[in-house]
Amino acid sequence: MVHLKELTLQELEQLLAQWQEPAFRARQIFSWIYRTGVLDYAAMNNVPVSLRRKLEAAARISALSLVEKRLARDGTEKCLFRLPDSQLIEAVSIPADNRVTGCISSQAGCKFACVFCCSGQAGFQRDLTCGEMLDQIAFLKFQSAARELTHLVFMGTGEPLDNYDNVLKAIRMANSEDTLHIGARRITISTCGIVPALERLAGERLQIELSVSLHAADDATRSRLMPVNKRYPLKELIAACRHYNKQTGRQVTFEYILISGVNSSLADARKLGRILEGFDAKVNLIPMNAGVSAGLQPPQKLDILFFRDALVKSGVRVTLRKSRGQDIEAACGQLRLRYEYEK
Ligand code: SAH
């Protein structure tokens, strides 16, 4: 069975040519899938019934079956899906001001086992395909409560740079005028810091946003929180980020989860300021979501503000992220695992 969202417009044209169908049918089908959001060939009323039958037998529009949707008080909606091989994946729609951000999973499970994050706790299952990522994006756009989508972040389950080719294809597809036409500057990749992949990404000439999960300003602390740091230590990671910034002209955002007694002292803030000195970068502070990992807690509110102020003083641009969707377990690091436990 072909999955239509794996195909670019040109690839669908080629498939139709094999079936002796005219190329313009591909555009019609794309329009139904990506402009109208249909999940059923029966709705494609400008496509001849004979072609619809062929499609029905040979190609699927979406690989997702919805298991559950949960809507939080703040409008955040978490959607849990089952894939044909029975993997479970999640995507989240996050409305704020005049934007709606879709948080997309790039893998079923995760290999990287960061201690503060749920996603790795059940291990790694497999990479998601380009079509399975586009499915999530189209679902959030057409089937979620918000029924709108202006921004995308690859911050759901999985490590996008560990599934490089599929993620890049999904981004290029989502960005294309033939499909959803989401501006590259409205698409963010979030990575735990896979240095060779970052170097490759710098060469792609894409205008996307890059977020790097930093979470510590020294190797001992970072390796304890994020085992990937043993492979790609801070010095190499920061150098790769500086190179990325130079090559693309795009500002890099560093995500920094504040964890009480671990990485949130004033000395930590100053250390962080030092490693980012002279770098066109921004730090996004995220108070740790408690309840994900036993024993790890966010600092007191006042300590968070002290940390932020110390960082600002060292010349770094800082934002403080508000956690969304906590009442439905849709917040950072909370995806997926809970359901597997409760099933
Ligand atoms: N693998 C990618 C994307 C998934 S994680 C990455 O590492 O960036 C997306 C974001 O959620 C990261 O910044 C991650 O560090 C953050 N996160 C994970 N667990 C969290 C928790 N318990 N509290 C707050 N943020 C968390």
Side-chain angles (χ1 to χ4, degrees):
M1 194 87 162
V2 184
H3 181 356
L4 291 185
K5 292 201 195 79
E6 306 290 349
L7 307 180
T8 62
L9 185 68
Q10 292 67 33
E11 288 166 342
L12 181 56
E13 285 169 355
Q14 284 159 16
L15 179 71
L16 293 176
Q18 285 169 23
W19 295 354
Q20 329 294 331
E21 297 281 351
F24 75 89
R25 295 283 177 219
R27 254 184 216 287
Q28 290 179 323
I29 295 165
F30 258 45
S31 173
W32 284 112
I33 296 176
Y34 294 111
R35 301 272 147 82
T36 318
V38 304
L39 293 170
D40 191 348
Y41 293 112
M44 300 185 178
N45 59 23
N46 58 356
V47 176
V49 175
S50 58
L51 175 54
R52 281 191 244 158
R53 287 226 181 88
K54 267 190 246 174
L55 286 163
E56 193 94 55
R60 58 164 67 106
I61 298 174
S62 169
L64 304 179
S65 52
L66 182 69
V67 177
E68 97 177 340
K69 281 203 280 192
R70 291 176 74 184
L71 189 59
R73 285 187 292 274
D74 65 9
T76 302
E77 187 170 41
K78 180 169 81 159
C79 307
L80 177 74
F81 307 103
R82 195 181 301 281
L83 297 171
D85 64 351
S86 59
Q87 294 299 335
L88 291 168
I89 60 163
E90 281 177 309
V92 184
S93 160
I94 311 162
D97 307 324
N98 47 10
R99 59 165 74 180
V100 180
T101 303
C103 181
I104 306 302
S105 294
S106 57
Q107 296 178 317
C110 186
K111 295 174 193 168
F112 292 86
C114 301
V115 300
F116 46 78
C117 180
C118 259
S119 300
Q121 286 175 15
F124 173 72
Q125 312 301 323
R126 67 169 173 86
D127 285 336
L128 298 186
T129 66
C130 158
E132 289 164 341
M133 288 180 261
L134 282 170
D135 280 340
Q136 298 172 57
I137 299 169
F139 188 95
L140 294 182
K141 181 166 168 89
F142 298 108
Q143 266 89 36
S144 70
R147 286 200 167 71
E148 178 56 90
L149 198 61
T150 60
H151 292 69
L152 287 179
V153 293
F154 286 82
M155 286 191 188
T157 304
E159 168 49 47
L161 295 188
D162 186 49
N163 183 14
Y164 191 96
D165 293 331
N166 292 339
V167 167
L168 269 276
K169 185 173 181 187
I171 286 176
R172 291 206 161 94
M173 288 270 285
N175 178 226
S176 159
E177 284 177 35
D178 302 328
T179 64
L180 297 158
H181 205 193
I182 298 174
R185 290 179 180 219
R186 296 174 164 209
I187 303 176
T188 302
I189 284 187
S190 180
T191 177
C192 63
I194 301 178
V195 167
L198 273 172
E199 284 162 1
R200 189 172 162 202
L201 191 65
E204 298 281 354
R205 306 254 165 271
L206 275 170
Q207 289 291 301
I208 56 170
E209 299 289 324
L210 177 67
S211 270
V212 176
S213 293
L214 199 61
H215 308 328
D218 63 80
D219 279 319
T221 311
R222 192 162 191 271
S223 294
R224 196 147 39 88
L225 294 175
M226 305 176 70
V228 70
N229 191 70
K230 293 177 197 146
R231 184 94 191 270
Y232 305 114
L234 271 172
K235 206 166 158 219
E236 283 176 39
L237 175 58
I238 300 293
C241 293
R242 285 185 195 263
H243 169 76
Y244 183 91
N245 170 246
K246 253 214 183 110
Q247 183 113 343
T248 62
R250 310 287 299 150
Q251 193 182 49
V252 177
T253 300
F254 290 101
E255 309 286 342
Y256 194 101
I257 302 176
L258 290 167
I259 309 171
S260 175
V262 175
N263 64 358
S264 55
S265 70
L266 289 179
D268 292 317
R270 285 192 283 268
K271 244 188 277 174
L272 182 55
R274 266 200 304 278
I275 64 173
L276 297 181
E277 209 178 296
F279 189 1
D280 177 27
K282 188 176 91 181
V283 172
N284 191 16
L285 297 175
I286 315 160
M288 163 86 197
N289 266 329
V292 172
S293 169
L296 300 183
Q297 298 291 333
Q300 303 290 326
K301 180 86 201 171
L302 211 56
D303 290 329
I304 294 174
L305 297 179
F306 283 149
F307 188 96
R308 183 192 62 185
D309 291 348
L311 202 52
V312 169
K313 264 200 205 104
S314 63
V316 178
R317 287 192 41 202
V318 188
T319 53
L320 192 56
R321 188 200 281 178
K322 203 161 98 191
S323 185
R324 303 286 306 274
Q326 275 181 339
D327 56 325
I328 57 161
E329 287 151 357
C332 304
Q334 280 189 305
L335 293 184
R336 186 161 170 276
L337 194 70
R338 191 56 175 247
Y339 187 83
E340 310 244 303
Y341 275 155
E342 285 173 356
K343 216 168 29 170

